[in-house]
Amino acid sequence: MARMPPRPAAIAGVGLDLVEVARFERPSARLRERLFTPGERRYCDRQAHPATHFAARFAAKEAVLKALGTGWSGGVAWTDVEVVPRDHGGANVKLSGKAAARARELKIRRWHLSMTHTSSHAAAVAVAES
């Protein structure tokens, strides 16, 4: 019996977000803990201009939730979406909690994430592949 070829990947969702870096220039410790995981905070704090990296990660979180079709509703926490740096540049998406549950519902098996920033703005695009 012949094996069926693997099903091609399908785009399950796309999200895009743009934020002003100035919003992240002096966030309170409480806000940083609410929005970012310990790993994200450590990464951004090590950078020459932490605000641009915090802003890019926030934009990425928003883009991922838009790709999932949930926004910040239904009990999804900001830290349910984590932006994890890759060894050779770029970043991966790591989901937990309600965001991970929604991704399982949509049968998402892979994420594509692109972030960019200038001194004034940060943007991110997230593509969910099922």
Side-chain angles (χ1 to χ4, degrees), residues 3-61:
R3 285 176 56 126
M4 298 276 301
R7 239 177 30 188
I11 299 204
V14 176
L16 168 69
D17 197 59
L18 174 71
V19 298
E20 293 176 354
V21 171
R23 293 175 53 195
F24 297 91
E25 287 293 342
R26 290 184 181 83
S28 69
R30 183 171 178 236
L31 181 65
R32 286 171 36 136
E33 287 176 8
R34 195 172 130 239
L35 296 179
F36 302 102
T37 67
E40 289 171 323
R41 293 192 307 268
R42 276 191 304 275
Y43 175 85
C44 294
D45 285 336
R46 287 193 313 254
Q47 306 306 311
H49 301 285
T52 57
H53 295 274
F54 279 118
R57 272 151 184 74
F58 184 83
K61 291 168 180 269

Side-chain angles (χ1 to χ4, degrees):
M1 182 189 303
R3 285 176 56 126
M4 298 276 301
R7 239 177 30 188
I11 299 204
V14 176
L16 168 69
D17 197 59
L18 174 71
V19 298
E20 293 176 354
V21 171
R23 293 175 53 195
F24 297 91
E25 287 293 342
R26 290 184 181 83
S28 69
R30 183 171 178 236
L31 181 65
R32 286 171 36 136
E33 287 176 8
R34 195 172 130 239
L35 296 179
F36 302 102
T37 67
E40 289 171 323
R41 293 192 307 268
R42 276 191 304 275
Y43 175 85
C44 294
D45 285 336
R46 287 193 313 254
Q47 306 306 311
H49 301 285
T52 57
H53 295 274
F54 279 118
R57 272 151 184 74
F58 184 83
K61 291 168 180 269
E62 289 273 13
V64 166
L65 271 288
K66 289 174 182 177
L68 288 172
T70 63
W72 296 105
S73 63
V76 175
W78 297 98
T79 53
D80 284 354
V81 178
E82 182 174 13
V83 178
V84 181
R86 291 190 310 229
D87 290 338
H88 302 289
N92 289 326
V93 174
K94 180 179 173 186
L95 301 180
S96 60
K98 302 258 179 159
R102 177 66 176 153
R104 284 190 299 274
E105 288 173 16
L106 296 173
K107 296 180 175 41
I108 293 172
R109 60 185 182 93
R110 186 172 177 195
W111 285 94
H112 304 273
L113 179 64
S114 181
M115 300 181 296
T116 190
H117 55 76
T118 65
S119 60
S120 63
H121 289 86
V125 174
V127 178
E129 186 179 308
S130 63

